[in-house]
Amino acid sequence: MDALPEFALLRATTLDEVVKARASHPESRLLGGGTDLIVNIRRGIVAPPVLIDVNHVEELRTVRADARTLEIGAAVKLAELAAHEEVMRHYPVVAQAAGFIAGPTHRNMGTLGGNLCLDTRCLYYNQSEWWRGANNHCLKTTGDVCHVAPKSRGICFATFSGDLAPALLTLNAEVDLAGPGGRRTIALESLYVGYARQDRPITEREGDGKHYLSLRPGEFVTAVRARNTAGLRSAYDKIRIRRSIEYPVTGVAVALRREHNTLADLRVAFTGTNPRPVLLKGTAELCGRPLDAGVLNGLDALVRDQIMSMKTTFTPGHYRRRVAGVLARRLVTRLYAE
């Protein structure tokens, strides 16, 4: 990797200071753990002139969890989240997802906000500057062609790989945002717009691997919130090339509710497959009956239809799609039997 370029570092202590700094420095980036950002700066992928350290903003570092609600500040460390007793007790899918991220040192530094807003990844993008230059810069940097799909007509297929997003999507979470334009709360699912549809132009609501977040200029995540559902069982699992450090080949979060012998509620979300985390649509139609082969086959069909899995990693797309289906089946079967 190359040496870090020069940049200014601002240390904020309040949320208002962060907002003002973002307004004054539109090209700035927030620095939480820096486990992804600093690597990308070294590789010349991004070159922000200003970094805003948010690790001392108390408003962003709180965790509140009980049997009714969950609230996590954007600067909460992943290790803290994974080991939080109330989160493990009432929202196991979140604790498990946080505990699966990278290795212990990364989790000690990485934050919730960083993982939720993780830059999309691709074999042709996450390389050194000289490698990218030698291979004709891709669409996500300074090129005009997506090397994964050269005939994609200007659509980028870089993949979202954050682990916490699918876990929180199964809880119907909301995300709090702040910026120069004020504060607002949106559904977490609305934060992600990486649909990568070749038959439609890129818009604010339907982006691709390059335009994958719906954040407004200067806006950033401050917290995520969710409500518990009585009787909801949840879990997260993923496949990766190495059992530590590596991003997911496919990550799956499942939350379900069983009433007697009936599947009453089913939510399944994926990461590592599309330019956005995918909350599977159509699972409600699988509910209202016992978990049987018909339900599992229906789940497989939904996965095949909605998981994209292009060749953005060393593993083939068809393998990731199959793994996604297998993991979903395993988690659903296990949680239903508990």
Side-chain angles (χ1 to χ4, degrees):
M1 290 186 183
D2 296 328
L4 283 172
E6 291 188 3
F7 55 82
L9 179 64
L10 304 180
R11 287 193 170 93
T13 57
T14 68
L15 195 54
D16 287 341
E17 288 181 4
V18 180
V19 172
K20 291 178 181 178
R22 287 287 283 154
S24 300
H25 305 280
E27 301 301 318
S28 63
R29 293 290 187 94
L30 300 191
L31 178 64
T35 54
D36 188 60
L37 176 62
I38 298 301
V39 173
N40 285 347
I41 293 176
R42 279 187 176 276
R43 285 177 166 168
I45 292 175
V46 294
V50 176
L51 297 183
I52 304 170
D53 184 353
V54 298
N55 286 292
H56 302 286
V57 180
E58 289 300 323
E59 297 162 270
L60 302 179
R61 298 182 60 187
T62 59
V63 180
R64 298 184 182 91
D66 55 34
R68 298 181 61 186
T69 59
L70 172 68
E71 182 176 349
I72 312 167
V76 170
K77 301 298 182 183
L78 301 174
E80 178 185 353
L81 188 57
H84 196 285
E85 291 186 1
E86 294 302 304
V87 176
M88 289 190 291
R89 179 179 295 112
H90 301 295
Y91 309 92
V93 66
V94 175
Q96 291 169 20
F100 272 132
I101 296 171
T105 54
H106 299 86
R107 293 193 293 272
N108 286 336
M109 297 180 65
T111 62
L112 167 82
N115 196 257
L116 288 181
C117 299
L118 189 69
D119 193 11
T120 52
R121 301 181 61 79
C122 180
L123 187 65
Y124 295 95
Y125 174 69
N126 296 98
Q127 303 287 352
S128 64
E129 191 166 9
W130 64 263
W131 190 99
R132 298 195 310 275
N135 288 274
N136 296 322
H137 289 276
C138 75
L139 182 64
K140 189 167 165 62
T141 54
T142 59
D144 54 9
V145 174
C146 176
H147 297 320
V148 171
K151 297 181 180 180
S152 64
R153 293 177 290 184
I155 302 297
C156 171
F157 289 94
T159 300
F160 181 84
S161 301
D163 292 272
L164 283 170
L168 289 161
L169 284 174
T170 63
L171 301 178
N172 297 325
E174 295 180 327
V175 62
D176 294 336
L177 308 174
R183 302 190 185 190
R184 62 185 178 123
T185 299
I186 63 173
L188 178 61
E189 188 176 12
S190 299
L191 179 65
Y192 303 104
V193 295
Y195 288 87
R197 291 171 174 163
Q198 298 186 55
D199 58 340
R200 302 182 188 180
I202 299 297
T203 66
E204 291 183 357
R205 294 187 177 183
E206 292 189 2
D208 61 354
K210 186 174 182 178
H211 307 281
Y212 59 97
L213 295 176
S214 62
L215 294 174
R216 296 168 181 170
E219 202 169 45
F220 56 93
V221 173
T222 63
V224 65
R225 292 180 289 108
R227 291 184 178 276
N228 198 5
T229 300
L232 194 70
R233 311 169 185 180
S234 64
Y236 179 80
D237 200 0
K238 72 177 181 180
I239 295 293
R240 45 189 165 178
I241 302 300
R242 296 170 290 181
R243 290 188 64 84
S244 64
I245 302 176
E246 200 69 71
Y247 289 91
V249 170
T250 297
V252 182
V254 172
L256 63 80
R257 187 166 51 86
R258 175 178 175 175
E259 293 181 355
H260 304 294
N261 290 325
T262 300
L263 182 63
D265 189 5
L266 177 62
R267 312 166 194 173
V268 184
F270 297 88
T271 187
T273 59
N274 294 45
R276 74 187 196 285
V278 177
L279 180 62
L280 212 60
K281 307 299 182 185
T283 55
E285 299 175 7
L286 304 177
C287 298
R289 53 175 169 162
L291 182 67
D292 55 18
V295 172
L296 294 176
N297 290 337
L299 179 62
D300 287 341
L302 294 177
V303 172
R304 288 194 302 270
D305 182 55
Q306 299 177 45
I307 296 303
M308 185 176 292
S309 290
M310 302 290 283
K311 185 65 169 67
T312 55
T313 71
F314 290 106
T315 55
H318 65 84
Y319 171 78
R320 289 154 67 196
R321 187 179 291 107
R322 290 182 63 185
V323 166
V326 170
L327 280 183
R329 269 178 167 255
R330 288 178 182 174
L331 285 178
V332 169
T333 302
R334 191 189 87 198
L335 290 172
Y336 184 82
E338 288 182 354

